Structure formats: structure tokens, C-alpha cells
Amino acid sequence: MKNKTLTLYALAYLAFLYVPVLVLPIFSFNDSQFIAFPLSGFTTRWYAGLAADSAMQHALINSLKVGLTTALLSTLLGLMAAKAVTRYRMRGTGAIMAFISLPLFIPDIVLGISLVLLLGTVGLPLSLAAVVLGHLLVCVPFSLTVLVARFEGFDKNLEEASADLGEGSWMTFWRVTFPLMLPGIIASLLLTFITSFDEFLVAYFLSGTEATLPIYIWGQLRFPERLPMVLALGATILTVSVALVVLAEYVRNLGVKKPMVGA
Amino acid sequence: MSFLAITNVNKSFGGPAVVNDVSLDVPRGEFFALLGPSGCGKTTLLRMIAGFETPDSGTIAIDGEVMNAVPPNLRPTNMVFQSYAIFPHLNVFDNIAYGLRKLKLPKNALRAKVETMLATVRLEGLGGRAADQLSGGQRQRVALARALVREPKILLLDEPLGALDKRLREVMQLELRAIQRKIGITFVLVTHDQEEALSLSDRVAVMEGGKILQVATPRTLYERPASRAVADFIGEMNFFHATVREIGETATVNAGVLGILSLPAANLAPGIKVGDHILLAIRPEHVGFAASGVAGEIATSTFLGERSHFHVRLPGRSEPVAVSGHAPPSGAVHVVFPPEKLIGLPV
Ligand SMILES: Nc1ncnc2c1ncn2[C@@H]1O[C@H](COP(=O)(O)OP(=O)(O)OP(=O)(O)O)[C@@H](O)[C@H]1O
Ligand SMILES: [Mg+2]
């Protein structure tokens, strides 16, 4: 009896999670501009429309630029901060971690407004670069969390062993730290890229005249006739995201077979 | 200057001294052990020799060169870490070849060198094994091979056998000794296991609380510990309070319940004078049972195979005397203390 209830609950929960997501691909192939059942036939014209929409492509390229830059910078900064926090004996490590993580708890809208004010005060133009700066604030804490966990997962004697065997700090990084951190680095890149790619509020405030993809989509919602195309775009993003996650998992398992502890 | 010369080295991590004014001289080719209880600063001293910690004061010189400012990667030392620190992303071969990159050896020469080392540590044919598929003993051998293949002037070993079970530890002890004999490199071994230190090394430094208590050969440490602390740390010993009456060819002491005893004057620690209050010390296996002697009563006896271990209670003394020997006839016994086996230590 109890098990049955649980099973039902689990099914309902899964449906709640995934039915809305499934609506996307289903209606993106539906031959009608109205989002309603019954379905009226199969078409790929919304996708064809997407391929021809140069404003959308421009926004997509903007988002990719911002996402990649943010992911790389945030992971690089996260890597250095994580190394400092875990490898050097410093005073105030806890306070540093707390300060870096603080933006996580500031609502994005507050962050967006303050950044607009700040940029205005120092006279910097709103631009994609400004969006990257805003996204860094949001993303570095993610990178740091992922990478600190990874650094703590391996014996610092391994880096000392490398020095003992004649390698300076740079080669030690390349021959020991980097390969052992790689799964964490990939996870950080992926996480920060996706965070930046679908971030709306901060980008909305900071992007100026250049739209990122979420801003473009938001703009399209005013035109009901363009809704199926937005669905097609959503379905595409969904597919690519899933593919990326699967790929990252695959790469991660290629690199390392076992959890890594030095002993 | 000796091969490894440590001179008045001090180190603290902001708190009390962890290594306190340590001086040591180790000649080339010696198997040297640092022995002491947990937390006495052995690892810290070893890490200063390797270059991972910098002395607050004092110097460390190897083969005539002061090392204080030389980073670990440029020192002629290699270390076997307590955790072994085998690179988990590399196989056995690449672990051993790790430190040879700078030599830029042609492929064949590199392979030959690594294979030779694999044979030395008896891991022939395991070069392709992944790091996570090694047993404890094999990891230990890889760590040893990886360090030795660089032909360091000094090999540093931090409790290299601590993680192994007793049987494997004994096998590895013999092998370590044999390898050291064969290649003739200076070994500095850190351990808290006195048996290991005594059975492996040419000389042992006994450390406590960051200080060196005594440096001597294993035999001297055992037979002539310089202080009660050393004696306590190396095996078991009986102590009796005594007062020195006379010192000549032999020394006469008043040893309370044991009576007046004469022992060779050379058995007294240097600096002991007439009238001094001292500790007489004797190993359990040197105390004997006899027909006459100090009367006592056996309190406990433990059968240990070839020998047995007894605690004998003497009248007028609260602490029982430890005796190692063969079973006496009954509960009431007489124990004797051969004078040449008694040594006098400062209190
Ligand atoms: N990096 C460090 N920072 C602060 N204190 C340290 C550091 N390294 C060691 N200590 C302290 O120095 C003392 C000696 O440590 P050390 O590791 O040298 O002892 P040990 O003799 O090797 O002990 P064990 O047998 O347990 O390994 C300990 O009290 C330890 O807490
Ligand atoms: Mg130690």
C-alpha cells in the first residue's frame, strides 16, 4: 500500500519535471502557430525559420561569446583561488571563501542594478564585456566550489613528490595538478558556461544594445506568431545541453577510472 | 664537514619549537635512522632535508654545499613519502620515469633504466600496471624505485613501512637493507618503530620533543642508553634508585633493596660523581634467577615460547622487576643482577 503511494508520487513528480520540457519539442514540430491540442500535423518550418533568422543568430553568437569567455575566465580564476585556499597556509581563508561566495546569495536583479549604477559612475559603456563581468561575479563561486572539492580530493604530497623528482612549479602543474584537476576543470567550464548562457537578468541590465539569446527570446514573446519558433529554439538548446552534459561525463570517465586519493 | 651536516637547526610553526637546536652528522653511505615517538618532529626534520620546509635558523649541508636556499627540485635528495604519493594518473613505468624527463634520454635508454630499476625492486613485468591496481607492498616498491632511479645522493624515507602488515614489513625491511648495501646510497629513515630502526640502521638518532637525545649504533643504544628517556624508548628496562659511594676501577653504589653493589666504573654515564643520586638500569633478560640473591615473589608470568616474561615483586619496592628468562621452580625466587650488566644513568 505504502509502496504504491510512493510509486505514484514518484511518477507524478517525474511527470511534473519532464512534461513541460517535452511540450517544447512536441509543439516545435506542430504545424500550427497556436500552442494547443490536438496537434495539427508535422512540420519543420519553425526550424527552417530559425535558420533564416539573422537576429536570432546574432544573439546566439553573442551568447556563445559571453558564455565561453565567462566559462574560461571564471574557471581560471576559480582554479587559482582554489589552489590558494587549499594549498597555502593563510590567515582568513574562511573569510575569503565567504566573500567570494557572497554574490551567490545576492538576488540577480540587485546585482544587475548595482552593476549598471557602477558602470555608469565610472563611465564604462554597457556592452557584452560588461555582461561577462557580471556573469563572472555569479560564476566564480561555482567554479571555486567545484575546484576546491577537487583539490581537497587529492593528496598534496603528489605535488611535493613532483617537486622532489625535479620538476619546478610550472611543470608540476602541467604534469600532476592539471591532469588530476581535469575532471573538475571540465565540470567547472560546463557549469559556468550553462549558467552564463541562460542568465537573463544581469545580461538584460548590462548588455546595452547587444542582445544575448535569453534577451532575444524574451523579446520574441511579445509576438504570438513567433512562439513556435521560440519553441524550436528552446528544443534545440535543450538537445545541445543534454548532449554537452553526456559528453562531459564521457570525457570525465575517460580521464579517471577511480576516485583519486594519493595513498 | 660530513656528507650530510645538520648544524643547530631550529624550526617552529609559530608555536613551540618543533625541531629544537638539532645537529647531526651523517657520513656518506650510511643507513641512518631518526627514531622517536609520534609528533617529536622527525618528519619536519626530514622535510627540511628535502627542502619542503625551511629552517628558522641553522644550516643543512649536503656534500659540502649549504642547501638552505635550494628548492626541493634542485636538491640531490629524493624522498619516499609515508603515503607513497604514487601518481594516480600514471602507470608504474611512467611513475618511475617521472623524474627522468630532464635527462632527455633516448627511448631505449629510458626503458632500459626503468626496467633495471623495476628489477631492483622486484617489480619485473609490472611496468604497464595502473597505479590503482597495486597492492600496498607494490606501491611501496614503486615509490622506492621512483626515488632511486634518480640516483640521489641521499634517499629520505618517511615511515616507509608503516602502512604494511607485519609480515610484509619484515620482508621489506630485509629488502631495504639489501638495496641500500647494493647501491651504497646514504639512507635517512624516519620511524617510530624501534625494532625497525635498530635492525636496519648503522646508526640511530633518538628524538623527543624536537631534540636529539642520543646518536649511536643500535648496539650502543641498547646496551648503553645515555638517559632514562632513551632506555625507556628502546625496549624495556628496570630502574633502581641508587647513590654513588665510591668510584675507582669499579664503582660502589648503594642501591636500596638491592644492597651495596659494585659495577665497572665504565658502566656509569659520563659526569657521574661520588655522592650523586643515580638510576641503576638493567634489561629484563640480564636479570637472572639463582639459588641465592634478592628474595622475591613472582607476581605474573607470561609464556612467550622460547622464553617467558615475569614480573617479580621484591619486598620494600612497589614496582615489580621485569625478568625475561626460563621458568623458575616456584613462586618464591631469588633474583640476581650481574654487575657488569648494570649501568648507571643520571636521574
Ligand atoms: N605544517 C605544519 N604547521 C603547523 N604545525 C605543524 C606542521 N607540521 C608539523 N607540525 C607540528 O609539528 C610537530 C611535529 O610534527 P612532525 O610531523 O614532524 O612529527 P613526527 O615526528 O613526524 O610525528 P609522526 O610520527 O606522528 O609522523 C607536531 O606537533 C605537528 O603538529
Ligand atoms: Mg611523521
Side-chain angles (χ1 to χ4, degrees):
Chain A
M1 182 65 208
K2 195 174 169 203
N3 268 339
K4 223 174 183 177
T5 327
L6 268 181
T7 313
L8 268 179
Y9 169 74
L11 284 178
Y13 184 72
L14 283 178
F16 178 73
L17 274 183
Y18 288 108
V19 167
V21 174
L22 283 178
V23 166
L24 237 63
I26 291 174
F27 282 101
S28 72
F29 289 108
N30 186 27
D31 196 5
S32 157
Q33 78 173 46
F34 302 106
I35 312 300
F37 288 101
L39 299 175
S40 33
F42 181 82
T43 180
T44 53
R45 71 180 152 117
W46 308 121
Y47 287 90
L50 265 190
D53 184 341
S54 68
M56 189 286 295
Q57 283 160 17
H58 187 71
L60 172 66
I61 287 171
N62 281 346
S63 271
L64 288 177
K65 275 192 213 161
V66 170
L68 288 175
T69 317
T70 304
L72 285 173
L73 285 179
S74 152
T75 301
L76 192 67
L77 293 173
L79 200 58
M80 294 192 289
K83 167 133 180 152
V85 166
T86 52
R87 289 291 184 267
Y88 303 119
R89 291 192 291 271
M90 295 187 302
R91 252 182 291 178
T93 306
I96 293 172
M97 283 289 282
F99 260 114
I100 295 179
S101 310
L102 203 56
L104 278 183
F105 305 104
I106 300 175
D108 284 356
I109 195 157
V110 175
L111 210 58
I113 294 172
S114 11
L115 284 169
V116 169
L117 291 178
L118 182 71
L119 289 178
T121 321
V122 297
L124 285 176
L126 297 177
S127 63
L128 290 183
V131 178
V132 170
L133 282 182
H135 282 182
L136 277 181
L137 275 183
V138 180
C139 288
V140 169
F142 288 130
S143 294
L144 189 65
T145 312
V146 169
L147 295 169
V148 161
R150 197 75 205 173
F151 264 117
E152 280 169 351
F154 81 83
D155 187 357
K156 87 171 168 45
N157 278 345
L158 291 174
E159 285 161 326
E160 288 184 343
S162 170
D164 190 65
L165 294 167
E167 296 295 15
S169 47
W170 183 241
M171 283 310 287
T172 292
F173 179 82
W174 277 117
R175 296 187 72 190
V176 176
T177 316
F178 182 74
L180 293 182
M181 289 300 291
L182 195 57
I185 290 173
I186 291 176
S188 161
L189 286 174
L190 196 79
L191 190 63
T192 50
F193 176 79
I194 288 178
T195 304
S196 163
F197 193 78
D198 71 16
E199 201 285 330
F200 174 67
L201 275 169
V202 174
Y204 188 69
F205 278 104
L206 297 179
S207 58
T209 53
E210 292 287 339
T212 62
L213 205 56
I215 298 173
Y216 171 81
I217 291 175
W218 171 249
Q220 296 305 298
L221 292 181
R222 277 175 298 162
F223 312 112
E225 74 279 10
R226 299 186 61 99
L227 196 53
M229 227 170 83
V230 170
L231 291 186
L233 182 56
T236 312
I237 293 174
L238 188 69
T239 313
V240 172
S241 307
V242 170
L244 266 186
V245 173
V246 171
L247 183 73
E249 270 305 299
Y250 177 70
V251 171
R252 213 167 75 112
N253 292 332
L254 272 190
V256 189
K257 290 178 206 86
K258 281 269 166 69
M260 299 174 307
V261 199
Chain B
M1 201 193 264
S2 56
F3 187 62
L4 167 62
I6 299 177
T7 317
N8 304 115
V9 163
N10 285 284
K11 177 77 185 175
S12 69
F13 293 99
V18 168
V19 170
N20 193 343
D21 198 27
V22 165
S23 296
L24 281 175
D25 286 301
V26 180
R28 188 192 294 268
E30 188 170 63
F31 199 131
F32 190 84
L34 289 169
L35 172 66
S38 184
C40 73
K42 310 178 294 284
T43 297
T44 306
L45 185 56
L46 201 72
R47 288 171 58 82
M48 285 195 281
I49 302 173
F52 296 123
E53 309 285 355
T54 326
D56 297 339
S57 64
T59 58
I60 293 176
I62 297 171
D63 207 2
E65 270 183 75
V66 175
M67 287 287 139
N68 288 40
V70 180
N73 53 325
L74 300 179
R75 292 199 186 192
T77 57
N78 280 108
M79 180 138 158
V80 175
F81 290 82
Q82 186 164 10
S83 63
Y84 305 147
I86 306 292
F87 300 121
H89 57 303
L90 301 177
N91 65 18
V92 169
F93 186 96
D94 290 334
N95 261 283
I96 297 176
Y98 189 93
L100 300 176
R101 182 184 65 89
K102 288 219 174 104
L103 295 184
K104 298 215 162 45
L105 295 175
K107 242 196 168 116
N108 289 340
L110 178 73
R111 177 155 290 279
K113 210 169 158 66
V114 174
E115 297 287 351
T116 310
M117 195 41 74
L118 279 169
T120 305
V121 298
R122 307 206 321 192
L123 285 176
E124 294 100 331
L126 288 187
R129 216 27 109 71
D132 59 11
Q133 288 168 1
L134 298 173
S135 70
Q138 288 169 335
R139 300 172 75 80
Q140 209 271 331
R141 286 160 207 257
V142 173
L144 190 62
R146 184 177 71 178
L148 284 176
V149 79
R150 290 183 36 93
E151 299 170 13
K153 287 183 177 170
I154 302 180
L155 185 73
L156 308 169
L157 304 110
D158 191 357
E159 314 232 6
L161 309 178
L164 307 181
D165 65 53
K166 191 167 181 296
R167 238 178 60 82
L168 194 53
R169 193 155 65 222
E170 281 161 8
V171 173
M172 286 309 298
Q173 280 177 2
L174 291 178
E175 278 188 37
L176 263 188
R177 183 80 249 209
I179 289 173
Q180 196 267 344
R181 282 279 140 81
K182 191 169 134 207
I183 58 179
I185 292 179
T186 310
F187 276 31
V188 178
L189 171 89
V190 157
T191 179
H192 62 250
D193 179 345
Q194 47 118 353
E195 245 172 74
E196 188 168 298
L198 297 191
S199 63
L200 282 177
S201 352
D202 298 315
R203 283 192 312 146
V204 180
V206 182
M207 281 185 81
E208 194 181 70
K211 281 188 180 290
I212 304 270
L213 299 178
Q214 186 175 8
V215 185
T217 62
R219 175 170 285 275
T220 308
L221 279 182
Y222 192 77
E223 292 179 349
R224 291 295 175 83
S227 65
R228 175 163 192 166
V230 174
D232 269 340
F233 201 68
I234 312 269
E236 193 181 10
M237 217 163 188
N238 296 300
F239 297 97
F240 304 92
H241 287 279
T243 316
V244 182
R245 285 267 184 97
E246 205 182 307
I247 303 182
E249 189 81 339
T250 61
T252 310
V253 300
N254 179 354
V257 286
L258 304 190
I260 310 288
L261 293 169
S262 292
L263 60 148
N267 285 12
L268 295 184
I272 289 179
K273 308 179 300 294
V274 173
D276 279 1
H277 188 64
I278 63 166
L279 283 174
L280 276 184
I282 188 165
R283 297 275 173 201
E285 66 269 30
H286 293 146
V287 182
F289 294 116
S292 67
V294 185
E297 180 102 23
I298 291 184
T300 67
S301 92
T302 313
F303 178 68
L304 296 173
E306 198 203 332
R307 307 193 125 226
S308 291
H309 192 273
F310 307 97
H311 281 129
V312 179
R313 216 171 276 294
L314 301 187
R317 181 182 155 93
S318 56
E319 209 178 321
V321 175
V323 184
S324 163
H326 301 284
S330 72
V333 289
H334 293 275
V335 283
V336 289
F337 301 87
E340 73 280 4
K341 297 295 187 188
L342 283 166
I343 57 171
L345 302 175
V347 178

